[in-house]
Amino acid sequence: MATGFVLDPTAKRADDITSPGPDAGPLAGKRIGFRVDRMWRSWDWLSELWAEKFRAAGAEVSFWRSASRSGDEGERCEREYKAFLDSIDIAIVGLANCGSCTGWTVRDAITAANHGLPTTAIATKNFEVFSHEIAARGGRSGLRVHVLPYPLNENFKDDVLPVGEEYFPGLLKAMGASLMSKGKAA
């Protein structure tokens, strides 16, 4: 009789990083990078709103928009993303709002976290569990994930911006960030 092996697809990785990584800390003087994509207009609106708040706190903000991830364009995209990570102190990566978008959001967030950056992935509620599952499978079960309501992208800008205002304090908490510099308001 032959012996078979059954692999457990729920097994945890031996090299899993359960820590969320470093806190962002006071934001004044830091370079915050938003990774955006071509899919979610709501994420464009929210990241711009939050960027304004970070700038008002004394941070420098930049954006990097992902593109095709295969072939020559995918290789170019990968090089550009790594150069972007070299140019920032803190990464905010979104938007996990569908299956493949969640996969790429978490993958790019893991890349940023593995680069040593304080990193937060942004997901909508329907993709929260999936985001954590992909992070664990990618070896970063401790990845910071800030969760926004779902649906979001189906709404008009005037409906999305109040969500950004409401969820901004939670973003700061998820990032381990402060708008205050050492003892002074930014």
Side-chain angles (χ1 to χ4, degrees), residues 68-79:
S68 177
R69 296 302 182 101
S70 62
D72 291 340
E73 187 176 353
E75 290 175 18
R76 179 190 53 77
C77 188
E78 188 76 18
R79 287 189 305 274

Side-chain angles (χ1 to χ4, degrees), residues 150-174:
Y150 182 93
L152 190 61
N153 204 61
E154 293 76 5
N155 296 328
F156 293 107
K157 186 174 185 178
D158 288 343
D159 299 317
V160 171
L161 293 179
V163 171
E165 293 287 350
E166 179 183 349
Y167 282 77
F168 184 70
L171 172 65
L172 293 174
K173 183 176 180 183

Side-chain angles (χ1 to χ4, degrees), residues 2-168:
T3 302
F5 294 96
V6 176
L7 301 176
D8 181 359
T10 63
K12 297 195 184 308
R13 289 177 55 148
D15 63 346
D16 183 42
I17 300 171
T18 59
S19 164
D23 286 344
L27 299 180
K30 295 202 176 143
R31 299 167 298 165
I32 301 171
F34 282 93
R35 183 283 217 175
V36 294
D37 53 39
R38 297 187 294 187
M39 292 293 297
W40 307 114
R41 66 184 186 169
S42 61
W43 178 228
D44 284 345
W45 299 332
L46 291 174
S47 60
E48 283 291 343
L49 172 70
W50 292 345
E52 290 174 23
K53 293 178 176 298
F54 292 145
R55 287 182 187 114
E60 180 183 319
V61 179
S62 59
F63 292 83
W64 181 81
R65 189 171 301 276
S66 66
S68 177
R69 296 302 182 101
S70 62
D72 291 340
E73 187 176 353
E75 290 175 18
R76 179 190 53 77
C77 188
E78 188 76 18
R79 287 189 305 274
E80 288 177 3
Y81 186 57
K82 288 183 178 170
F84 174 69
L85 295 178
D86 286 338
S87 74
I88 61 175
D89 302 312
I90 299 165
I92 302 173
V93 183
L95 179 67
N97 193 45
C98 75
S100 63
C101 293
T102 301
W104 282 110
T105 293
V106 173
R107 179 185 183 272
D108 287 347
I110 289 171
T111 299
N114 288 345
H115 203 72
L117 298 173
T119 302
T120 304
I122 309 297
T124 56
K125 183 66 178 163
N126 280 13
F127 296 91
E128 176 181 13
V129 172
F130 190 39
S131 294
H132 288 291
E133 179 63 30
I134 292 174
R137 289 178 184 262
R140 298 279 320 199
S141 66
L143 183 71
R144 299 170 195 264
V145 178
H146 181 54
V147 180
L148 302 174
Y150 182 93
L152 190 61
N153 204 61
E154 293 76 5
N155 296 328
F156 293 107
K157 186 174 185 178
D158 288 343
D159 299 317
V160 171
L161 293 179
V163 171
E165 293 287 350
E166 179 183 349
Y167 282 77
F168 184 70

